[in-house]
Amino acid sequence: MTQGSNNRLAQLLAGCAALACITFGGGAEATEIHRWVDADGVVHFSDVRPASTPSSTLEIADPEPAAASSATNANAAADAAETPLSAAEQRRQAMRERREAQAAERQETEFWCDKHRTRLEQMEPARRVFYTDENGEQVRMDDDMRMGLIEESKTFLSENCQ
């Protein structure tokens, strides 16, 4: 690129930045933007018409107030909920729901796998296992009950866990 084209590009970018600042910045109530070029070839934008230089006027629509914009977005969401889904969107939604259900099922299975692993770690090596009964008393678990729970945990782990 030549020096002139770099300067022109810089002027164009500066002009666009100025226009964006005026449009989206504090000048929300301004509907007219004036554009002019000074003696050095620099493009200027302003909401005030220059007195000594001819300028062109750009008409800019007033931006919506934030409340109206959010109300419009809420109405659009409500309209989208009422419109029927296309066949492809229905398939995507069904697939998404199926994936979510599978993920929830995997999470629950992993929860129970952890519970059974913990049970085995606690009961298998111990000969005496105590638990709190419905009366709140510490009671020693008999060996048949302990072996039954160990077998139940091993079966669950072999069938459901890796």
Side-chain angles (χ1 to χ4, degrees):
M1 274 190 199
T2 64
Q3 180 65 24
S5 63
N6 281 343
N7 191 19
R8 192 163 201 66
L9 180 63
Q11 290 173 356
L12 180 63
L13 290 175
C16 290
L19 180 61
C21 288
I22 292 169
T23 303
F24 300 112
E29 64 278 349
T31 56
E32 289 186 345
I33 304 296
H34 304 283
R35 177 189 179 276
W36 73 94
V37 181
D38 67 9
D40 295 328
V42 177
V43 179
H44 296 272
F45 294 92
S46 175
D47 59 346
V48 178
R49 181 183 300 273
S52 61
T53 309
S55 65
S56 59
T57 303
L58 305 170
E59 292 293 325
I60 305 293
D62 286 336
E64 292 183 40
S69 177
S70 63
T72 303
N73 291 342
N75 290 340
D79 290 343
E82 293 174 5
T83 58
L85 299 175
S86 70
E89 290 170 331
Q90 289 174 357
R91 282 192 303 273
R92 278 190 228 106
Q93 184 175 2
M95 288 171 59
R96 182 174 37 266
E97 290 170 357
R98 193 169 37 251
R99 279 192 308 268
E100 290 170 357
Q102 288 171 345
E105 186 177 326
R106 279 192 304 270
Q107 187 176 9
E108 183 177 356
T109 300
E110 191 56 38
F111 170 80
W112 286 109
C113 288
D114 289 342
K115 287 280 192 185
H116 283 281
R117 285 184 192 111
T118 302
R119 179 194 280 179
L120 278 179
E121 289 172 3
Q122 292 172 347
M123 289 187 172
E124 214 168 22
R127 293 276 181 195
R128 294 183 186 178
V129 176
F130 291 90
Y131 68 96
T132 306
D133 67 1
E134 60 273 352
N135 298 327
E137 297 178 16
Q138 287 280 354
V139 179
R140 181 174 183 244
M141 187 180 295
D142 66 6
D143 284 338
D144 291 335
M145 184 179 192
R146 183 177 70 86
M147 293 306 290
L149 291 173
I150 289 172
E151 190 59 37
E152 178 184 314
S153 290
K154 285 182 178 181
T155 303
F156 182 86
L157 290 170
S158 67
E159 292 175 357
N160 300 300
C161 308
Q162 299 177 6

